[in-house]
Amino acid sequence: MHRLSAQAERLVELALEEDLALGDATSEATLDPAAAGEGAFLAKEDLVLAGTAVAARVLERLGASCRFGRGDGDRVRGGEEVGTARGRVTALLAAERTALNFLQRLSGVATATRRAVEALAQGGGRTRLLDTRKTTPGFRLLEKAAVRAGGGTNHRLSLGDGILIKDNHVAASGGVAEAVRRARARAGALLRIEVEVVDLAGLDAAIAAGADLVLLDNMDDAGIAAAVARAAGRVRLEASGNMTLERLPRVAATGVDFVSMGAITHSARAVDLSFELR
Amino acid sequence: MHRLSAQAERLVELALEEDLALGDATSEATLDPAAAGEGAFLAKEDLVLAGTAVAARVLERLGASCRFGRGDGDRVRGGEEVGTARGRVTALLAAERTALNFLQRLSGVATATRRAVEALAQGGGRTRLLDTRKTTPGFRLLEKAAVRAGGGTNHRLSLGDGILIKDNHVAASGGVAEAVRRARARAGALLRIEVEVVDLAGLDAAIAAGADLVLLDNMDDAGIAAAVARAAGRVRLEASGNMTLERLPRVAATGVDFVSMGAITHSARAVDLSFELR
Amino acid sequence: MHRLSAQAERLVELALEEDLALGDATSEATLDPAAAGEGAFLAKEDLVLAGTAVAARVLERLGASCRFGRGDGDRVRGGEEVGTARGRVTALLAAERTALNFLQRLSGVATATRRAVEALAQGGGRTRLLDTRKTTPGFRLLEKAAVRAGGGTNHRLSLGDGILIKDNHVAASGGVAEAVRRARARAGALLRIEVEVVDLAGLDAAIAAGADLVLLDNMDDAGIAAAVARAAGRVRLEASGNMTLERLPRVAATGVDFVSMGAITHSARAVDLSFELR
Amino acid sequence: MHRLSAQAERLVELALEEDLALGDATSEATLDPAAAGEGAFLAKEDLVLAGTAVAARVLERLGASCRFGRGDGDRVRGGEEVGTARGRVTALLAAERTALNFLQRLSGVATATRRAVEALAQGGGRTRLLDTRKTTPGFRLLEKAAVRAGGGTNHRLSLGDGILIKDNHVAASGGVAEAVRRARARAGALLRIEVEVVDLAGLDAAIAAGADLVLLDNMDDAGIAAAVARAAGRVRLEASGNMTLERLPRVAATGVDFVSMGAITHSARAVDLSFELR
Amino acid sequence: MHRLSAQAERLVELALEEDLALGDATSEATLDPAAAGEGAFLAKEDLVLAGTAVAARVLERLGASCRFGRGDGDRVRGGEEVGTARGRVTALLAAERTALNFLQRLSGVATATRRAVEALAQGGGRTRLLDTRKTTPGFRLLEKAAVRAGGGTNHRLSLGDGILIKDNHVAASGGVAEAVRRARARAGALLRIEVEVVDLAGLDAAIAAGADLVLLDNMDDAGIAAAVARAAGRVRLEASGNMTLERLPRVAATGVDFVSMGAITHSARAVDLSFELR
Amino acid sequence: MHRLSAQAERLVELALEEDLALGDATSEATLDPAAAGEGAFLAKEDLVLAGTAVAARVLERLGASCRFGRGDGDRVRGGEEVGTARGRVTALLAAERTALNFLQRLSGVATATRRAVEALAQGGGRTRLLDTRKTTPGFRLLEKAAVRAGGGTNHRLSLGDGILIKDNHVAASGGVAEAVRRARARAGALLRIEVEVVDLAGLDAAIAAGADLVLLDNMDDAGIAAAVARAAGRVRLEASGNMTLERLPRVAATGVDFVSMGAITHSARAVDLSFELR
C-alpha cells in the first residue's frame, strides 16, 4: 500500500467523496460489478513526473492495485507508459479522473520547476530555486514534494518550521534587532531565522541582528548584485518577486544563493496524461 | 458566518492545518497576541472575482471577521479593493496566505471562463460553455461555482448526478441501445443520459437509443457542423476536445449547443490579489 | 473487502462506536480473546434481502470475514441461510447485533418495496414505483439501494441531483415559467426538471414552461386519470400522496408513469433475521 | 445552541451531507439567497413527541434558529403546532426534510413506547418496559432517549455499560458460576450482572451464581409466572421475546419486574408531522 | 492487525500526525526508502507491561509489523526483550518514539497499580484497588486497561456507565433519598448507584436511600473503620482521598471493600523501555 | 472563544467523548437541565500554571464560559483562585474533571520545567533547558507550550521541523559528512542540522561535516566539559541523558549551550488544582 501523509490521505478522501458522493450512476447501470480489467497511465507530452504515490493511492482506496514503473522526478517522453493499474473495471473507471487530476497537476508543478532550475543553471549553477507558500490549499506537502522532484529546494513547509520576519513583525517588535532576539528566544532550537528587506540598509540591519538568511524583496538585478556584494558571505540571500523564466539566468549570474518563485506552484499548467483501459 | 458545503469546510480545515500544524513561529515570537488590526484584499490586475465565501471562511475560522464588498462573478479592475478583514493581527497574518491562495485560484478559474464565454459569443451566442470533471481534487464544488461566476454552465458535478455513457460502457452492455436502456432502468428519474460518440454513425445510434445529449469527442469544426445538421434538433450536442480560445468562435458558429473545456479548471493561471494590513 | 460509499462507511463507524464506546464488558470478562468461531445469518420469515454489503462490512471492521450466499434483491424463504461469518468469537458477538440491525431494516425496505411493486403490477404494469427523500437520516444511499433491490426506481438521491420545483420556488420566481427558466440556466446540463402541481391548470402551466416531469400532489384517482389524459404524453407524470398497497392497482390503472411512496422507507417494518454461532 | 452527544452531532452531519452533497439545485436556481422566512412544525396526528433537540440542531447547522414549544415526552394532538424555525428561506427548505425525518422517526418510537407502557399498566402497573439494542444503527442514544420520553426504561445503552451473560459466555466459561465470577472480577464496580436463562433450572443456577438480574428468554406467560414465584424476590426478572401489545397486560400480571420489546425501536411506524413555511 | 477501540485508534492517529505533520526530514534525507530492518523493544528496568496493543498499532499504521512476546500484565525484568518490529527502516524510526511514549506511560500506570495492589495485600487482601476518572485526556480506556493489567479494578469508565451521587446532586434533588430515587428511575437497568458521604450520618442516609455503594470521602483510618462497622455488610464501601503507598496497608486493615487512588493514573512515572534497531 | 491548534481541538473532542460517550447518567437523573451556576479553579499547592486555554476550551465546548485571571507561566500559590467558569450546572459538572485533568498535567509540566531551569541557573545561567519528543501522545504542542511557560526552550516540535542525524542515519549514508550533505540538499532552507555523537572524535567529525548543533549523548560532566573546550564555539552543543535536578548545576557549569530532559514531560507529577461550584 502506498503511504501518504495524513494530510494527503484526507485530501484523497475528499477528492473521492466529491466525485462519488452519489455513486457512479453510469457504471453501476451498465457494467458487470465483478468484471476485472487493467489499464495504463500514458504521458501525452514530455514532462517531469510527480504525484505517483497519491495517484496510486486513489486507485487503492477503491480496491484496485496500481504500480508506477517511472518515479517522481523522472523525465518522461510523450507516448511513454508511466504506470499500470488492475482491478474491477468499475473501480478503474471511478478512480481514473481523480488519479489523473492529481498526476497532471503535480507533474505540471515538477515540470515547471525543472524548467526554472534549468534557467537558473544557465546563469552559473550556484543559485538554488526555492518554492513559496503560494500552493494549492490542501496540496502543500504534495506540491513541495513535486518541487523537489523537479529539482527545486523547499523554503519552509508551513508557518511553523521556519522564521520569516517581515515588516509587520519588525514594526510590532520595535525594530529588527528586537524581532530577531524574540524569535531566537521563542523558536525551536533547530530553526533558522530569515528577515525580509527591501534595500541595503535593511540588509545591513538584518545582518547586524544576526539573521541566518535575508530575503531581498522585489529588487532588480542590479540591486540583487549589490546585496550579494554587501553581504560578502556573512548571510545567505534569497531573491524574490517578479521572477520569470527569461530573467532567471541574469538573477543567477548575481551569485545570489536562492531565488523563489510562486508561479511554479500557483500557476503551473497541468501536463497531459491519460489512462487507457486495455 | 459564511456557510460552505461540508466538502469545502473540510478543505478549509485541511488548508489551515497544513500551514499551522506547528503554529506560526514568527508571529508567536514577535507579535502581541492581543493586538487587533484590519486589512484589505486588493486586485492587482483585472479579473472576475470568485471564491469570496471560502476566503472569508478562512479568516473566520481563525476568529477574524471578513466582508467582501464585491461578489463572485463581478468584474474587478486592478487596484480595486474587493474586501476587508478585521481581528487579531496574529490571525490576519496566519490566514492571509491561505485566503489568497483560494481567492487567486478560484478567481483565476472565473476569469478564464469569462474569456472563453466571450470567445463563444463571437461565434453567435447560442453555444454555452461547459466545464468538466478535470478539476483540482477537493475543489470540485468550488471550481464549479467559479465556472458559473464566470458565466459558464456546469456539466455534471460528480459521477452520480448525470449519466455519461462512453465506449467502455457501450462495450460492456453489448451496444449503445442496451447501455441506454440499462441506464434508464437504473438511474434516478431526474437524470439525463448523454452518450459519447466519435462519428456520425455513433450519433445516429445514440439518437436511436434515446439519448438526451450526445458528446462529440474530438471532432474538427466541419465534423461538428455535420453533426449539428444530422441531429436536426432531435438531441442536444456537446463538442469536446482540443478547444482553444482562438478556435471557440468557429466552433460556436456551427450552432452546437455546448462546448466543454477542461483548461478553464485544470490550467487556469492564478490571478493576482494581495492582502494589505492597514 | 466490501466497499461502501464514504457515507455508509461513516455510518458503520458510528454504529460500532455507539455500541462499543466502552468495549464489550461481558465478552471481555468471559471469553478467550483468541478463540475463533463461525456463524450463519438466517432468515426467520419470507423476505427480500438487502443490506448484505453493509452488514458484511460491520463484521469486517471488527476483523471477521463475512460472505453472503444470497444477494440483494433475492427472495428468501423463512429458515434459509443467507450468509456466514468467521473470526474471533469476541468479534462475531460484538458485531452481530449491529449487522442484524442493518440487515433487518434494509431487507424490510426491500420487502415493502417489492410488495408495492407487485401491487402496481396488478394495475397494468406500466407504472413504476418511486421512493422519496423520507429516508432514515444517514441511510439515504443504503435505503435507495434497498428500494432498487425491491424493484423500485429511485427519485433523486439528494437535493443536488434533480430539480423539483415546488410552490415556494414558484412564488419566489414570480411564476412557474420563470422558475423553470432559472433552473435551466443554473442547473447542471444533465438534470431534468420536475414541477409539483395540485390541479390541471398547474399541469398546463408546467408543460408550457418546459418541465420534463410533473408531480401530481395528493390527487385522487380520477384526478390522476384526468391529468394523464391532459398530458397526452407531452410530459412524464408522477402521482404522490396517500398511497396505500390497496390503492396502488387503481392508481396504476390510470396509466400514470410513476407513483411515489414515503412509507417504503420511513415506516417499513424490520424483517426477522438471526445470527447463530455454530 | 442545542447540544447533542458527539454521536448525534456526527449523525446530523452525515444526514445533511447525504442530502446536500451537491447543494440544493432547485433553491439555488430559484430563490433569493438573502430572503428570510419562518415556518412551523405541525403534528398531523396524535403522537408523543421526541427528537426535538436533534431536529432543531439540523436547522441550526444550516444557520437557522429553531424553538420547540412542546417538549420530548409531551402528548400532542393532530393539528397542534409543536415548534417554529426562522432563517434564510434556502436554509429552511434545505433543512426541512432532514429535520422531519428525525422528528417523525423518534416521535414514532416514543409513541409506540407509550402505547406499550399503557398496555403494561393494564396488567397491574408494577412491570416496567425495557428497550433493547435492536435500534437503528447510529441512533442508539437518540432512540434510547425517545424510549424514556415515551415512559420506558432503558436496558444497557451499549455493550459496555452492563453485563449480560448469554449461552455463549456461559459455555466459554465452563458454567454460569464461573462466568459470573469472571464478570465480577473484570467489570467496573458500578455494573450489574444479568444472566439469560430459558428455564427454571437456569434461573436457579443464575441466582446461585449471584446474578443481579435474570433474563427469561422466550418463556410463555405461565413460565414467567413460575419464574417470578421461584425467584421470590431474590433477583430481578426480565421477560423477553414475542411480546405484543395484546399480550403485555397478561405478562404484567405475572408480576415480572421488566418486559423488553425490540419492536418499539426497530419497527415503530413514523408518525406524521409537517413543516409549513409562513 | 491489532484492534483498538475507536477512541484509541483516533489517539494513535493524532499522535502520529503531531510528529509527522511535516514528514520525517532527517530520514527522508538520509535513508534509502526501500531498506528493510527490524528492531526490539527492551525493558530498561523492572516493570509491569501495558500498552502493547497500542504500541503495536503505531508501528502497523506506518506499514511495519510488530509482535510482543510478553503481554499486558506481565512482570518484566530490566534487560528483557518484550517485543519486536519489522518493516522499512524509515517506518521503524518514524514510529519508534511514539510507540515508546505509549508503552512507557501505560506500563508506568500498570507498574504503579501493581505496587499499590501489593500494599493493600499487606493489610489483609480483601480490599480491592479502584482507579478514578483522573486519567490523561484521551487515554481513558487505555489507562483503565493498564490499571487492570496491574491488578486493579475499574471504577466507572465514564460519566455514563455508573451513577455517583455527590453533594451537588443531593442538593439539587432536595435530599439523598430523592436523588437515589431519581437515579433509579432514570438510569439504565444495569447500573449501580453510589453515594458520596463525608461522615457516618451521611452513610446512614445513603443506606436508607438504597445506595448500592457508598464512597467515604477523605476519612481517616479510624473513620473508615467506623464506617465499615456501621455498614455491617449492608452496602459496599469505597475509601477515597489522600491515599499513599505507605498508608494503604492500614486502610486495607479496616476491611473496606475498595480504595481508590488518582495517582496511579495522573502521576505515574514513565518506566524505561527502549527500541533498538538490529 | 479560546483558539487551539487543530490537534488540541481534536484532543479536547476525544477527551469529552471518552467521558460523555453515554451521557452523564447522574446529572441527567438528578439535576435541573436549565439551572445555571458558576465555579472557580483553585490551586491547592504552589505551582507554575499552564494549560489554561485548553481547560477553558473544554468548558466552552459544553456551552459554558470560562475565564482565567492568571496566565500560563504565572507562579501561583496554593489557595489562590486562577479562573472561573459559568454556565449550566450540568455542563460545569460534565466538564470539570476533563478540564482539571488537562490543567493539572500541563501545570505539572510547567512546574517541573521551572524547577529544572532554576537548577541550571545555579550553574551559571548560560545553559538553556530543552525538551524532547518524549511527550504524551496527542499532547505534543500542549506540552511544548507548557515547557515554554516554565521557562524552557523547545527542541524540534516534530520530525519535520529540524534535522537530527543519529547513528542509523550516519550508517545508511556511509558517514557523517555524506549524511549532513544529504540533509542540506533535501531539507527546507530554514532548518538547522544537529548531529548526535558519543565522543570527541564524533564531535570533530560533526563539526567538519558542517553541523549547526551537536548532541552529546550520555556523556559525564567531564566529557561535556571537554567537548565544550574542543568545540570552542564553532558549533552549539546539547548535553543529553541521565539528567537529574541534582546534577543540573554541575552540567551548566561546563558552559554547554543546552541540556535536554525527557522527564519534564514524560514523568512530571500532576499538580493539585480543584474546581469548586459556588
Side-chain angles (χ1 to χ4, degrees), chain A residues 10 17-19 23 25-26 28 30-31 97 101 105 133 135-136 138 140 159-160 164 172 182 186 267 270, chain B residues 10 17-19 23 25-26 28 30-31 97 101 105 133 135-136 138 140 159-160 164 172 182 186 267 270:
Chain A
R10 286 159 68 190
E17 282 192 43
E18 72 184 357
D19 209 24
T26 313
E28 290 166 19
T30 59
L31 302 181
R97 186 70 261 147
N101 286 346
R105 172 168 305 271
R133 286 171 48 245
T135 52
T136 309
R140 180 66 56 81
L159 286 169
L164 176 48
R182 288 184 187 181
R186 166 66 170 63
S267 292
Chain B
R10 285 161 68 189
E17 282 193 42
E18 73 184 358
D19 208 23
T26 313
E28 289 167 19
T30 59
L31 303 182
R97 186 70 262 144
N101 286 346
R105 173 169 302 271
R133 285 170 49 245
T135 52
T136 310
R140 179 65 58 80
L159 286 168
L164 176 49
R182 289 184 187 183
R186 166 65 171 65
S267 291

Side-chain angles (χ1 to χ4, degrees), chain C residues 113-260:
Chain C
T113 300
R114 183 67 56 94
R115 225 167 267 140
V117 166
E118 291 170 349
L120 283 175
Q122 296 168 26
R126 188 183 168 287
T127 306
R128 291 165 73 183
L129 180 71
L130 292 181
D131 51 27
T132 66
R133 285 172 48 246
K134 296 180 181 179
T135 52
T136 309
F139 285 69
R140 180 65 58 79
L141 292 182
L142 292 171
E143 292 185 351
K144 291 274 179 177
V147 166
R148 293 197 303 268
T153 298
N154 294 327
H155 198 261
R156 58 182 172 175
L157 303 185
S158 74
L159 286 169
D161 62 315
I163 302 279
L164 175 49
I165 296 173
K166 302 189 181 183
D167 51 357
N168 292 305
H169 305 108
V170 169
S173 302
V176 69
E178 172 63 9
V180 171
R181 194 199 59 73
R182 290 183 185 181
R184 207 58 100 193
R186 165 67 170 64
L190 291 177
L191 297 191
R192 285 179 174 160
I193 296 175
E194 182 171 20
V195 175
E196 181 180 299
V197 306
V198 296
D199 54 26
L200 294 187
L203 173 60
D204 291 341
I207 293 173
D212 297 307
L213 276 86
V214 174
L215 186 155
L216 309 171
D217 186 39
N218 270 324
M219 291 191 182
D220 60 17
D221 299 348
I224 297 169
V228 170
R230 181 75 135 267
R234 289 173 299 166
V235 73
R236 263 161 283 210
L237 296 178
E238 170 189 355
S240 181
N242 299 316
M243 296 296 164
T244 59
L245 273 187
E246 183 273 337
R247 183 187 170 198
L248 289 179
R250 295 196 308 274
V251 179
T254 64
V256 73
D257 300 278
F258 300 106
V259 166
S260 59

Side-chain angles (χ1 to χ4, degrees), chain E residues 10 17-19 23 25-26 28 30-31 97 101 105 133 135-136 138 140 159-160 164 172 182 186 267 270, chain F residues 10 17-19 23 25-26 28 30-31 97 101 105 133 135-136 138 140 159-160 164 172 182 186 267 270:
Chain E
R10 285 159 68 190
E17 281 192 43
E18 72 184 358
D19 209 24
T26 313
E28 291 167 18
T30 60
L31 302 182
R97 185 70 262 147
N101 286 346
R105 172 168 303 271
R133 286 171 48 244
T135 51
T136 309
R140 180 65 58 78
L159 285 168
L164 176 48
R182 289 184 187 181
R186 166 66 170 63
S267 292
Chain F
R10 286 160 67 190
E17 281 192 43
E18 73 184 356
D19 209 23
T26 312
E28 290 165 18
T30 60
L31 302 182
R97 186 71 261 147
N101 286 346
R105 171 168 304 271
R133 285 171 49 245
T135 52
T136 309
R140 180 64 58 78
L159 285 168
L164 176 48
R182 289 183 187 182
R186 167 65 171 64
S267 292

Side-chain angles (χ1 to χ4, degrees), chain B residues 133-171:
Chain B
R133 285 170 49 245
K134 297 179 181 179
T135 52
T136 310
F139 285 69
R140 179 65 58 80
L141 292 182
L142 292 171
E143 292 186 351
K144 291 274 177 176
V147 166
R148 293 197 304 268
T153 299
N154 294 327
H155 198 260
R156 57 182 172 175
L157 303 184
S158 74
L159 286 168
D161 61 315
I163 302 279
L164 176 49
I165 295 173
K166 302 189 181 183
D167 52 356
N168 291 305
H169 305 108
V170 169

Side-chain angles (χ1 to χ4, degrees), chain D residues 5-6 28 95 145 180 230 237 278:
Chain D
S5 70
E28 290 166 18
V180 171
R230 181 73 138 268
L237 297 178
R278 287 195 270 248

Side-chain angles (χ1 to χ4, degrees), chain B:
Chain B
M1 199 179 77
H2 287 75
R3 302 238 153 234
L4 306 178
S5 70
Q7 279 272 328
E9 193 70 41
R10 285 161 68 189
L11 183 61
V12 169
E13 191 180 313
L14 264 189
L16 288 171
E17 282 193 42
E18 73 184 358
D19 208 23
L20 293 166
L22 304 179
D24 179 344
T26 313
S27 290
E28 289 167 19
T30 59
L31 303 182
D32 172 3
E38 63 176 272
F41 288 98
L42 304 171
K44 308 284 285 288
E45 63 175 306
D46 294 359
L47 54 85
V48 176
L49 195 62
T52 55
V54 69
R57 190 71 186 108
V58 169
L59 271 299
E60 290 172 0
R61 280 187 78 112
L62 297 187
S65 65
C66 183
R67 216 183 118 66
F68 278 88
R70 308 298 298 275
D72 283 14
D74 284 2
R75 284 175 193 271
V76 177
R77 292 283 159 199
E80 287 188 68
E81 180 183 302
V82 297
T84 56
R86 291 163 189 268
R88 290 174 300 117
V89 175
T90 51
L92 298 179
L93 293 179
E96 167 188 357
R97 186 70 262 144
T98 300
L100 284 171
N101 286 346
F102 275 110
L103 208 56
Q104 292 179 309
R105 173 169 302 271
L106 294 168
S107 297
V109 170
T111 303
T113 300
R114 183 67 56 94
R115 223 166 269 142
V117 166
E118 291 169 350
L120 283 176
Q122 296 168 25
R126 187 181 169 288
T127 305
R128 291 166 72 184
L129 180 71
L130 291 182
D131 51 28
T132 67
R133 285 170 49 245
K134 297 179 181 179
T135 52
T136 310
F139 285 69
R140 179 65 58 80
L141 292 182
L142 292 171
E143 292 186 351
K144 291 274 177 176
V147 166
R148 293 197 304 268
T153 299
N154 294 327
H155 198 260
R156 57 182 172 175
L157 303 184
S158 74
L159 286 168
D161 61 315
I163 302 279
L164 176 49
I165 295 173
K166 302 189 181 183
D167 52 356
N168 291 305
H169 305 108
V170 169
S173 302
V176 69
E178 173 62 8
V180 171
R181 195 198 61 73
R182 289 184 187 183
R184 208 57 102 194
R186 166 65 171 65
L190 292 177
L191 297 190
R192 286 178 174 159
I193 295 175
E194 182 169 19
V195 175
E196 181 180 301
V197 306
V198 295
D199 55 25
L200 294 187
L203 173 60
D204 291 342
I207 293 173
D212 297 306
L213 276 86
V214 174
L215 187 155
L216 308 171
D217 186 38
N218 271 324
M219 290 192 183
D220 61 17
D221 299 349
I224 295 169
V228 171
R230 182 74 136 269
R234 290 173 297 166
V235 74
R236 262 162 285 213
L237 296 177
E238 169 187 355
S240 180
N242 300 316
M243 295 295 163
T244 58
L245 272 187
E246 182 273 337
R247 183 187 170 198
L248 289 180
R250 296 196 308 274
V251 179
T254 64
V256 73
D257 300 277
F258 300 106
V259 165
S260 58
M261 277 184 83
I264 56 173
T265 49
H266 70 55
S267 291
R269 181 179 62 79
V271 293
D272 202 5
L273 291 129
S274 70
F275 180 78
E276 306 293 340
L277 264 191
R278 287 195 270 246

